Amino acid sequence: MIPSRTDLPRPLLLAAALAGAEALALLVSALLELVNVSAVRVTMGVSTAVFFLVCAAGLGLSAWGLTRLATWSRSPVVLAQLILLGVAWSFRGGDTTLVAVGLAIVAVAVLAGVLHPASTAALVDDPTGERTREEQGG
């Protein structure tokens, strides 16, 4: 049974939506990188685009997993947000401060949504066995 949107805690739904938006941003970055590949930097451009595509696919799949209450999906999303916080830290200062603040706000919002008690309760394996594996999305 696939959970309906009313079954999902709002913090988890927000986290999944933001993680999905991050995946979309990575996809756009990959496409922009491919469009701007030059003869001088073919290897770097293509490998960067492939890296962004793989990250976009993984994060997008994990965001989708959150909406299905799949227990496996939380860890990749949390890891991606911790990496994003490191990226935000590297952009602090100077002309990129607003970028850093924006990245940090999104990362913290996703972390708060995924780690919220209602989200954790929805994602955790039920020790009583009341939820079947099909209901958990796995």
Side-chain angles (χ1 to χ4, degrees):
M1 178 179 151
I2 297 173
S4 71
R5 288 184 185 236
T6 57
D7 295 339
L8 292 174
R10 285 188 184 194
L12 185 60
L13 187 58
L14 175 65
L18 288 174
E22 291 172 346
L24 184 61
L26 283 167
L27 178 63
V28 169
S29 296
L31 295 175
L32 289 173
E33 188 66 35
L34 282 175
V35 169
N36 291 309
V37 170
S38 65
V40 177
R41 53 181 293 278
V42 173
T43 303
M44 179 61 89
V46 171
S47 62
T48 301
V50 168
F51 174 76
F52 284 158
L53 284 173
V54 169
C55 289
L59 189 56
L61 182 64
S62 297
W64 176 80
L66 288 178
T67 66
R68 300 294 183 255
L69 297 178
T71 56
W72 59 264
S73 60
R74 181 171 46 184
S75 294
V77 171
V78 169
L79 178 62
Q81 303 320 303
L82 294 176
I83 292 169
L84 188 58
L85 284 173
V87 171
W89 182 259
S90 73
F91 276 102
R92 76 189 190 293
D95 293 338
T96 58
T97 299
L98 286 178
V99 173
V101 170
L103 293 174
I105 288 172
V106 171
V108 168
V110 173
L111 286 171
V114 170
L115 300 175
H116 188 277
S119 299
T120 300
L123 287 170
V124 73
D125 283 327
D126 187 2
T128 65
E130 292 178 16
R131 287 177 59 199
T132 65
R133 274 306 221 193
E134 184 178 311
E135 290 174 331
Q136 294 176 14

